[in-house]
Amino acid sequence: MELRIGVIGTGAIGEDHIRRLTDTITGARVVALSDINKENALRVSKKYNVTFYETGYEVIWSPDVDAVVIASWDPTHAEFVLECIKAKKYVLCEKPLGISAEECMTIVKAEAAGGKKLVQVGFMRRYDKGYRKLKEIIESGEIGEPLMVHCCHRNRIPGPQHTTDMTIKNSGIHEIDILRWLLGEDYESGQVLMAKQNQNALDGLKDPQIMLLKTKSGVRIDVEVNMNSHYGYDIQCEIVGEKGVIRLPDPTSILKKKSGMGSHEILSDWSQRFVEAYDVEFQQWINSIKESGPVGPNSWDGYVAAVTADTLIKARKLETIEPIILEPQPAFYC
Ligand code: NAD
Ligand code: ISE
């Protein structure tokens, strides 16, 4: 049986997900889409032969739609996810699940009250080959207990709407989730340091930032979140263990030697860097829905990431180290 998918938001990643669901993923097809940018949505609708709906709500409630992908702007996610829960439809919501811990907790409570796991969050790095290998090595015990983690999340240039808070809740949130997943534990406290200001940053954008996290067992983490590398999209992660060090590989690229120079390409954005991870994420999501329900990052993971991001933003503003405090985890998610 082919799952019929509705997509809300046909901007950069929404269109890319429609392409992937159409050309790469098996067992599903996109039948409905919506975007407040009607002109672009109609272009995408024509390109992929998908029915256009005036609102995301109509996509969610359409009897022709079995499951929904949310790829609209961050502040719209929570309302659409809550509507999917009401309509009892599976939903893959791009990160972040909501723009605050409070919004995410509303989702956690609504989903738990409905008694069925319907929500998956688009933390696609969990499907990246490199991160999966890091996790395998950590869990094998080969490098002993992890002690420290050093990361970089460098974007070439930010979008025009990017704010100083979004550096943490839209970009750094990937590290917040992936490191919790890699280390298998929650965070104890967080702090943010501001580096010397990059004068090329958008007016008012404080950039770059350094997120500092400490896990419950004492692992120390530093993450450079840099929105203006200018040279490319560059994701680095090094884990220092008791007996060895492991590092995320760069994507394979050809070394070119020419005219007395050696060079290799550096990718420019997430759509290329994580293309395989998104493909695996989507194929597994479709397969899981057909089996017993989604098994990827859930609403609780979205909530924990949001609490951590909110706390880091508070710590940055107050220039303090803040404790990261979670509500008790509902048994539904254990
Ligand atoms: P974008 O601005 O290119 O696209 C977002 C689209 O949402 C726009 O076309 C906009 O018109 C539409 N939209 C806004 N409000 C809407 C509403 N109420 N109903 C329907 N459509 C609406 O942004 P993007 O880069 O494609 O990002 C979209 C989302 O995907 C964001 O939440 C972002 O955090 C997430 N994202 C995730 C990854 C990842 O690596 N997982 C990468 C990029 C973006
Ligand atoms: C974007 O929304 C993503 O999720 C990308 O993966 C991330 O690297 C980028 O910084 C975000 O803006």
Side-chain angles (χ1 to χ4, degrees):
M1 186 208 49
E2 258 193 341
L3 271 184
R4 298 164 307 167
I5 309 295
V7 177
I8 304 175
T10 56
I13 204 165
E15 181 172 356
D16 202 36
H17 286 334
I18 293 173
R19 177 201 53 74
R20 122 172 338 101
L21 282 160
T22 307
D23 297 342
T24 310
I25 305 301
T26 57
R29 104 191 117 93
V30 184
V31 297
L33 60 79
S34 180
D35 194 299
I36 52 171
N37 179 342
K38 191 165 172 178
E39 193 186 334
N40 189 49
L42 288 173
R43 179 190 61 77
V44 178
S45 130
K46 198 164 159 208
K47 183 171 172 188
Y48 291 97
N49 191 24
V50 173
T51 308
F52 168 79
Y53 289 68
E54 288 291 339
T55 69
Y57 289 89
E58 287 170 61
V59 169
I60 294 167
W61 287 99
S62 166
D64 294 333
V65 168
D66 301 313
V68 177
V69 172
I70 299 174
S72 45
W73 292 326
D74 299 0
T76 66
H77 291 183
E79 57 171 307
F80 287 136
V81 172
L82 285 167
E83 200 65 16
C84 289
I85 293 172
K86 232 190 257 173
K88 297 188 174 22
K89 295 210 175 160
Y90 290 111
V91 53
L92 194 159
C93 178
E94 262 309 337
K95 40 57 61 180
L97 178 60
I99 53 164
S100 66
E102 211 182 336
E103 271 195 2
C104 295
M105 185 39 86
T106 314
I107 292 171
V108 161
K109 285 185 176 155
E111 189 183 36
K116 187 174 177 187
K117 292 219 176 86
L118 294 170
V119 182
Q120 182 163 321
V121 185
F123 286 130
M124 80 302 175
R125 289 193 191 182
R126 295 188 185 199
Y127 300 91
D128 175 76
K129 250 194 268 170
Y131 280 113
R132 291 184 87 89
K133 189 70 193 164
L134 292 183
K135 188 166 173 66
E136 196 184 304
I137 298 172
I138 292 170
E139 287 176 354
S140 74
E142 216 181 313
I143 61 160
E145 282 294 307
L147 307 173
M148 291 179 284
V149 185
H150 310 296
C151 301
C152 293
H153 182 157
R154 299 191 184 127
N155 296 267
R156 199 170 58 82
I157 41 165
Q161 313 299 336
H162 193 89
T163 63
T164 302
D165 285 357
M166 281 173 72
T167 295
I168 293 175
K169 47 169 101 187
N170 176 279
S171 297
I173 201 155
H174 280 294
E175 273 76 15
I176 291 172
D177 178 71
I178 198 69
L179 297 176
R180 172 175 169 262
W181 178 77
L182 277 178
L183 298 170
E185 58 170 332
D186 282 325
Y187 300 115
E188 175 80 27
S189 61
Q191 181 185 8
V192 175
L193 303 178
M194 301 309 298
K196 180 173 174 178
Q197 177 64 26
N198 184 338
Q199 297 304 327
N200 298 309
L202 296 169
D203 206 18
L205 177 68
K206 298 194 175 101
D207 191 63
Q209 306 186 32
I210 304 165
M211 306 191 313
L212 298 177
L213 288 159
K214 184 181 172 193
T215 67
K216 295 272 186 207
S217 77
V219 180
R220 293 283 186 176
I221 297 166
D222 56 89
V223 185
E224 168 197 325
V225 195
N226 185 343
M227 300 309 298
N228 290 276
S229 80
H230 283 241
Y231 70 83
Y233 185 74
D234 194 1
I235 304 298
Q236 303 292 331
C237 177
E238 183 179 76
I239 296 167
V240 181
E242 293 171 311
K243 296 187 280 186
V245 171
I246 49 176
R247 182 184 286 203
L248 189 69
D250 281 329
T252 329
S253 70
I254 301 297
L255 170 66
K256 191 197 291 172
K257 294 181 183 172
K258 195 174 162 239
S259 312
M261 299 274 286
S263 64
H264 67 87
E265 188 194 6
I266 296 178
L267 301 176
S268 64
D269 69 29
W270 40 265
S271 65
Q272 308 160 319
R273 170 64 180 82
F274 288 110
V275 63
E276 285 174 32
Y278 298 115
D279 289 348
V280 176
E281 174 191 36
F282 268 69
Q283 191 62 66
Q284 291 194 7
W285 178 60
I286 296 295
N287 296 349
S288 70
I289 291 177
K290 291 183 177 181
E291 290 156 16
S292 48
V295 289
N298 60 26
S299 300
W300 181 255
D301 298 313
Y303 163 76
V304 175
V307 172
T308 309
D310 284 358
T311 308
L312 286 170
I313 289 168
K314 180 177 173 197
R316 191 196 70 232
K317 289 180 177 158
L318 299 176
E319 298 185 15
T320 49
I321 300 171
E322 290 291 321
I324 295 171
I325 300 166
L326 304 175
E327 300 270 345
Q329 185 173 9
F332 183 72
Y333 294 102
C334 296

